[in-house]
Amino acid sequence: MKNSNYLFEILSKISEQKDYEIKGYSNNYIIEISKNKKSVFLYGNCLPLNNNSSQKISADKAALYTVLSSKNIPCVEHKIIKHPSFDMGFAFNKLEDILLKNPSGIVVKDNKGSCGRNVFLVKNKKDLKLSINKIFSKNQDIAVSPFIENATEYRLIMLDNKLCVAYKKEKPFVVGDGKSTVKKLIKNNYGNFNFELPKAELNKKPKLNEKFVVGWKNNLAFNSSPETVLDSILKAKLTNLAKKVTKALNLRFCSVDIFEQNGTLKVLEINSIVSMEYFSKNSNENYTLTKKIFDIALQKCFESLN
């Protein structure tokens, strides 16, 4: 088992302040925090606040769409394509039909994946074959959704139906100098990170001071950056939608990802395992806020034991 140590380090600092005892097992994939002969266990960064059924629905993109749409909660459609153990062509034909109905493209992803892994933007048959072969090679079911152009993605961290923080995910970009190619600008700003851009895009030379977006994924793990939402009206609209989600699924601690396009809000995904690693590393202020959120969440875990 392998796990990031960022949360263990944050929980260790909280434990020092609150006089908790903390232990890590299996490379900190399992964390035990104890006080007064009572213990709280985290498994894979998952705090014991959400029930098992709610966690499984949240992790299953197609199931989540089914549940939320049945509650009339606006959400991005996700259809499931089961692994075709006997006929790969059958799955390809189904996905091809969906692609033909979405000329802007489709997003093909592991139905239970996270952090932007095994997620592909597909606009033609060739890319479709490559993407489904990569996903199905790992015996995973596929979730497919329409590609929503020019959408802004927000993440809201919710705890017991209250907003902890809301932030926009700013896609990675480079600024042109009038001479360098996009490929060189990416190298200068992001090193060898692969943004999966077509060769024609990499060879472009942005004008002086021209902003050129280099990634279509909104994940912070793919070099997007968090910008805290300060607009009170927008924050209220986002929070109201997130509350509908947490109430519908009985989720106590989660992150809700919401798309905004031309003023319309739709739920994209929900994570019942709250990860704030990249957010916390963005600034000292974000780190302090992350620590505060997990401090309160941990207190609620102990309260639940009483």
Side-chain angles (χ1 to χ4, degrees):
M1 295 182 180
K2 187 177 181 181
N3 197 30
S4 167
N5 284 319
Y6 99 98
L7 185 55
F8 185 83
E9 293 171 0
I10 287 176
L11 294 174
S12 294
K13 293 184 180 299
I14 294 172
S15 296
E16 289 177 9
Q17 296 172 352
K18 296 297 177 69
D19 197 27
Y20 299 146
E21 181 182 355
I22 184 169
K23 295 179 181 178
Y25 310 98
S26 301
N27 295 321
N28 298 330
Y29 197 85
I30 301 169
I31 300 173
E32 179 184 10
I33 301 176
S34 306
K35 188 173 185 178
N36 298 329
K37 298 183 179 180
K38 294 181 179 180
S39 293
V40 169
F41 285 92
L42 286 78
Y43 182 86
N45 288 355
C46 181
L47 276 73
L49 287 173
N50 299 318
N51 67 62
N52 190 48
S53 294
S54 295
Q55 287 183 4
K56 288 186 175 181
I57 292 172
S58 300
D60 186 319
K61 296 171 179 59
L64 176 65
Y65 168 72
T66 300
V67 172
L68 294 186
S69 58
S70 74
K71 303 293 184 183
N72 295 316
I73 297 175
C75 51
V76 177
E77 181 180 23
H78 283 81
K79 294 181 179 179
I80 189 169
I81 307 294
K82 303 293 288 185
H83 185 283
S85 57
F86 58 93
D87 186 359
M88 187 68 77
F90 175 75
F92 177 80
N93 289 336
K94 289 186 70 176
L95 283 163
E96 186 180 12
D97 287 342
I98 298 173
L99 177 59
L100 290 173
K101 295 174 183 177
N102 293 275
S104 294
I106 57 177
V107 178
V108 177
K109 62 185 81 172
D110 170 11
N111 187 47
K112 295 182 179 179
S114 61
C115 299
R117 293 186 292 267
N118 290 318
V119 179
F120 305 94
L121 174 58
V122 173
K123 295 190 176 184
N124 54 60
K125 293 181 182 180
K126 180 182 177 181
D127 291 342
L128 180 59
K129 285 184 178 180
L130 289 172
S131 63
I132 65 175
N133 285 333
K134 286 181 180 179
I135 297 176
F136 282 148
S137 68
K138 298 182 179 180
N139 297 314
Q140 298 157 329
D141 296 330
I142 281 176
V144 56
S145 63
F147 175 58
I148 301 177
E149 292 187 287
N150 303 317
T152 302
E153 184 175 337
Y154 298 91
R155 170 162 289 188
L156 284 76
I157 308 297
M158 305 294 293
L159 178 57
D160 280 343
N161 217 34
K162 294 182 179 180
L163 177 68
C164 298
V165 64
Y167 61 85
K168 181 176 76 170
K169 300 179 181 180
E170 178 72 25
K171 291 185 179 73
F173 64 90
V174 294
V175 178
D177 59 12
K179 300 177 182 178
S180 302
T181 63
V182 169
K183 182 177 181 179
K184 184 176 180 180
L185 293 169
I186 289 175
K187 177 74 173 180
N188 292 341
N189 288 273
Y190 299 101
N192 294 319
F193 192 88
N194 181 14
F195 287 103
E196 302 172 5
L197 284 176
K199 186 176 181 180
E201 295 287 291
L202 291 171
N203 290 333
K204 286 183 177 179
K205 294 182 179 180
K207 297 177 183 178
L208 180 64
N209 297 325
E210 178 186 353
K211 180 179 176 180
F212 190 95
V213 175
V214 296
W216 68 272
K217 294 180 181 179
N218 294 292
N219 308 80
L220 301 191
F222 282 78
N223 283 305
S224 288
S225 56
E227 293 185 7
T228 303
V229 177
L230 300 177
D231 185 310
S232 59
I233 296 176
L234 174 60
K235 187 187 294 186
K237 290 180 179 178
L238 291 168
T239 303
N240 287 338
L241 180 54
K243 284 183 176 180
K244 290 180 181 179
V245 171
T246 56
K247 287 181 179 179
L249 292 175
N250 297 313
L251 287 165
R252 295 189 63 190
F253 190 36
C254 66
S255 62
V256 182
D257 291 340
I258 298 175
F259 264 176
E260 185 274 325
Q261 184 189 42
N262 299 324
T264 300
L265 301 179
K266 288 186 177 182
V267 176
L268 176 65
E269 294 181 5
I270 301 171
N271 296 286
S272 62
I273 300 176
V274 177
S275 176
M276 299 183 67
E277 178 173 4
Y278 292 99
F279 175 84
S280 69
K281 291 179 178 178
N282 185 258
S283 68
N284 290 333
E285 182 181 3
N286 287 0
Y287 177 84
T288 300
L289 179 56
T290 299
K291 184 166 164 282
K292 178 181 178 181
I293 291 170
F294 277 100
D295 185 1
I296 298 172
L298 191 56
Q299 290 180 46
K300 290 181 179 289
C301 289
F302 279 105
E303 291 169 3
S304 298
L305 296 177
N306 295 326

